[in-house]
Amino acid sequence: MNIVVCVKYVPDLAAQPRFTADHRVDRAGGQLSELDEYAVEQALRVADTVPGTHVTHLTVGPPPAAEALRRALAMGGDAAVHVSDAGIAGSDAPATALILAAALRRLTPDLVLCAMASTDGGTSLVPAMLAEHLEWPQLTFAAEMTLDQGGTVQIRREATGEVRHLAAELPAVVSVTDRIGDPRYPSFKGIMAAKKKPLDTWTLADLGVPADRVGPAARTVVDGITARPPRAAGTIVPAEGEGGRRLADFLSTQKFI
Amino acid sequence: MSDVLVLVGHLAGPVGKAGLELLTLARRLGDPVAVCAGTVDERAVETLGRYGARRIHVIESDDVREYPVAWVRALADLAAGTRPVAVLTESTPDGRETAARLSIRLDGGVLTDAVDVQPGPDGPVITQWAFAAGYTVTSRVVGGIPIIAVKSNAAVPEEAPATPMVTRSPLVLDEADRRTRVVSREPRESTGRPQLTEADIVVSGGRGLGGAEQFELIERLADALGAAVGASRAAVDAGWYAHTHQVGQTGVTVSPQLYIAVGISGAIQHRAGMQTSKTIVAVNKDAEAPIFELADYGVVGDLFEVVPQLLDEVTRRRA
């Protein structure tokens, strides 16, 4: 079984995000998107149970994005591929998916794993876009995933109003939620081993992706980014045995009761 | 004016609020075409028309229930015929998945999480809240058909009665469209409460509740106020309440008129899912809890004293 996990290098969400003059996210000082760890974990669980499984982590991003791959490799897996090219900066979700799909055609996986969303853009678009590019099935927002020996992958999705079970034959793209199982923490041994694992860097030319389809050719433009004004300071009162009544008074003045 | 395709989806009862919100937004951009399947009866046609659908297009196929990619095929077929000025879907997991595939199939551009859609000289202008809703971003699609996934509560449904034409078409899927299939569905038991994303009031419980049984208190307060019930990730991870009620980054994002956070500290994960609520109220015993930074009104105290007293007051004042 050949598995590719698509991961993303994102800014630290706890810190104040920074933007460049042309409304791009400043990616310096980033990290592996926390939700990607759940996808890495699922790949490693398959590798733990299916002999001969090969796990490759794949990312598209600027040079520091290699740190996200090292972090994923420290959790486990065999190799990593970093698609990095000056022409990629400014790519939106369709352009990113185009590049990832080109890399996946070269890596020829049986299973592609992604997180349900990145923690920065958070669009959740890329997994289904990859599937469309590759003409593969996609099983998204998996809260559970099972693979059978016949090459069928099945997931459980917690949808609005219903729980849905979906299935597809491999090769397939699966995106997983943070409900699917806690990711392992990299061991010291894992961190050391990660340094020796192969990490290849590919360019757009290597993949035959035309430069005029990515980067500034994005189908979407951001016209403005403004910090939302902080909420006006509210009234905070001690309960002092009257908390419920005080709250009821507030809700009455606001016409909620 | 040109067509705006609105994915209303499979109907098995009355048209939902989300569909009416999409129609309301679509009218700003062009002539709304409501795309649906299932039971499109006289009542559904009347409702869709009342909210401004100029045309109702019915996909005559149950494949939309069996194959998630079927909607992509249906919308792509329609788009090929009419060259719409935009396609609107809900920004739910299902809506995003459809929007994602459709954007590749049509070589269009796609924007998710729209909280506002306005016409502009160069096509629709989309407003999004980004980075845990700390920033307001305005974007446009350049080149190709704009495909816009819209969050619930992005607009208040407004009536604009039209007499819609009803058109129908079969659906022909190719083999690739059938590669993802639905194996089974387990409908959830209805709680009788409003849907979390659509509710005007949301009452959420967190770690401070201390157990699953104590969520009954949250449910009673929600029922007294006609509210939906939410839960923090901590409460869901502890197994106290179902994940479908999780408010936050990896759960649902809500933007109600009133959000009541009970026993929730207000981690960034949670704030990302609720900080755009109009009015925020918090009850927490820790005066330093970050939730109080967002709260319009906060009570520092024991929730097991504050909430029952609030319940009594709500019942008394409503009587």
Side-chain angles (χ1 to χ4, degrees):
Chain A
M1 173 90 63
N2 186 2
I3 303 178
V4 174
V5 187
C6 297
V7 300
K8 188 176 182 186
Y9 179 71
V10 299
D12 178 4
L13 263 203
Q16 194 78 357
R18 296 177 306 272
F19 305 99
T20 63
D22 52 354
H23 302 312
R24 295 175 188 168
V25 177
D26 184 345
R27 298 194 178 274
Q31 58 192 27
L32 172 66
S33 178
E34 188 198 329
L35 292 172
D36 290 345
E37 294 181 11
Y38 295 88
V40 172
E41 176 63 30
Q42 284 304 305
L44 299 179
R45 287 188 191 183
V46 175
D48 289 343
T49 53
V50 182
T53 298
H54 187 274
V55 177
T56 306
H57 307 298
L58 169 66
T59 199
V60 172
E67 287 170 36
L69 293 174
R70 287 290 175 209
R71 168 81 188 185
L73 285 170
M75 289 176 67
D78 305 288
V81 172
H82 182 187
V83 185
S84 189
D85 194 303
I88 292 171
S91 292
D92 60 357
T96 306
L98 182 75
I99 300 164
L100 285 170
L104 290 169
R105 284 192 189 97
R106 255 179 83 160
L107 291 166
T108 61
D110 304 294
L111 174 65
V112 174
L113 284 164
C114 305
M116 61 180 277
S118 62
T119 54
D120 58 348
T123 66
S124 303
L125 292 170
V126 166
M129 286 177 164
L130 293 178
E132 179 72 14
H133 273 301
L134 299 168
E135 294 187 29
W136 287 6
Q138 92 270 8
L139 302 167
T140 55
F141 298 90
E144 271 174 38
M145 178 184 84
T146 49
L147 276 167
D148 73 16
Q149 295 192 332
T152 302
V153 56
Q154 189 157 333
I155 68 149
R156 176 170 177 275
R157 184 201 277 196
E158 295 171 345
T160 312
E162 66 181 19
V163 172
R164 212 179 295 158
H165 296 267
L166 297 132
E169 311 309 314
L170 297 177
V173 179
V174 176
S175 81
V176 304
T177 73
D178 61 341
R179 302 282 296 160
I180 198 156
D182 284 341
R184 64 196 67 189
Y185 203 76
S187 63
F188 179 71
K189 203 175 132 204
I191 293 166
M192 296 313 287
K195 294 180 178 166
K196 298 198 186 88
K197 290 176 183 172
L199 193 163
D200 288 342
T201 305
W202 294 350
T203 63
L204 291 176
D206 290 338
L207 293 172
V209 174
D212 62 357
R213 294 285 308 277
V214 301
R219 286 286 197 204
T220 47
V221 288
V222 173
D223 290 324
I225 301 175
T226 47
R228 283 165 58 81
R231 294 184 77 99
T235 309
I236 312 296
V237 300
E240 296 170 331
E242 292 292 313
R245 269 184 285 278
R246 286 171 181 165
L247 196 43
D249 287 344
F250 173 78
L251 295 178
S252 292
T253 59
Q254 300 290 311
K255 310 262 186 281
F256 287 115
I257 48 177
Chain B
M1 288 243 273
S2 305
D3 286 352
V4 180
L5 300 183
V6 173
L7 178 54
V8 172
H10 185 270
L11 296 175
V15 182
K17 188 176 159 202
L20 306 182
E21 289 171 2
L22 291 182
L23 286 173
T24 302
L25 291 172
R27 290 206 306 268
R28 299 175 184 171
L29 309 176
D31 292 332
V33 179
V35 183
C36 38
T39 314
V40 188
D41 54 15
E42 227 168 86
R43 192 165 155 219
V45 169
E46 190 277 328
T47 306
L48 293 166
R50 187 149 42 90
Y51 286 89
R54 302 293 291 268
R55 176 153 78 98
I56 296 168
H57 188 83
V58 184
I59 304 296
E60 293 186 306
S61 170
D62 288 335
D63 281 354
V64 295
R65 294 273 294 165
E66 303 304 316
Y67 305 103
V69 184
W71 282 118
V72 180
R73 171 64 59 193
L75 290 167
D77 287 350
L78 280 168
T82 67
R83 292 298 300 171
V85 288
V87 180
L88 303 189
T89 72
E90 289 180 63
S91 202
T92 54
D94 290 342
R96 286 158 192 258
E97 195 176 82
T98 300
R101 275 206 179 240
L102 187 66
S103 71
I104 302 298
R105 207 165 284 196
L106 298 179
D107 197 16
V110 59
L111 290 163
T112 61
D113 299 286
V115 293
D116 195 16
V117 180
Q118 294 288 346
D122 306 309
V125 177
I126 281 61
T127 303
Q128 296 159 309
W129 290 328
F131 290 98
Y135 292 80
T136 302
V137 178
T138 50
S139 309
R140 278 176 297 127
V141 166
V142 286
I145 296 171
I147 298 157
I148 305 163
V150 181
K151 288 183 86 91
S152 56
N153 287 344
V156 177
E158 283 166 26
E159 297 189 10
T163 308
M165 174 170 70
V166 179
T167 53
R168 295 170 189 278
S169 67
L171 184 65
V172 183
L173 299 182
D174 67 19
E175 195 254 326
D177 294 329
R178 296 175 190 266
R179 284 185 187 149
T180 306
R181 58 185 189 278
V182 175
V183 176
S184 63
R185 299 165 183 271
E186 301 157 27
R188 285 176 207 285
E189 225 170 281
S190 171
T191 58
R193 297 190 185 96
Q195 253 194 50
L196 197 46
T197 52
E198 296 184 350
D200 288 330
I201 303 178
V202 174
V203 183
S204 286
R207 198 193 298 272
L209 282 163
E213 304 79 56
Q214 286 85 317
F215 256 88
E216 198 215 324
L217 191 59
I218 300 295
E219 291 179 339
R220 279 168 55 207
L221 180 59
D223 290 343
L225 294 167
V229 174
S232 72
R233 182 174 173 177
V236 170
D237 281 352
W240 301 343
Y241 220 69
H243 173 252
T244 41
H245 292 267
Q246 184 178 317
V247 173
Q249 188 190 22
T250 56
V252 295
T253 310
V254 298
S255 209
Q257 296 296 315
L258 173 64
Y259 188 86
I260 304 181
V262 179
I264 292 176
S265 66
I268 179 95
Q269 222 278 349
H270 189 73
R271 297 211 304 267
M274 48 63 76
Q275 68 175 331
T276 57
S277 305
K278 261 265 175 47
T279 300
I280 297 173
V281 166
V283 179
N284 203 297
K285 64 174 188 238
D286 176 11
E288 303 299 316
I291 193 78
F292 287 124
E293 292 164 19
L294 297 180
D296 296 287
Y297 196 85
V299 177
V300 181
D302 181 354
L303 72 91
F304 296 107
E305 287 169 17
V306 175
V307 175
Q309 192 179 61
L310 173 61
L311 254 170
D312 287 346
E313 287 295 313
V314 172
T315 314
R316 193 175 63 78
R317 292 179 196 208
R318 286 226 163 137

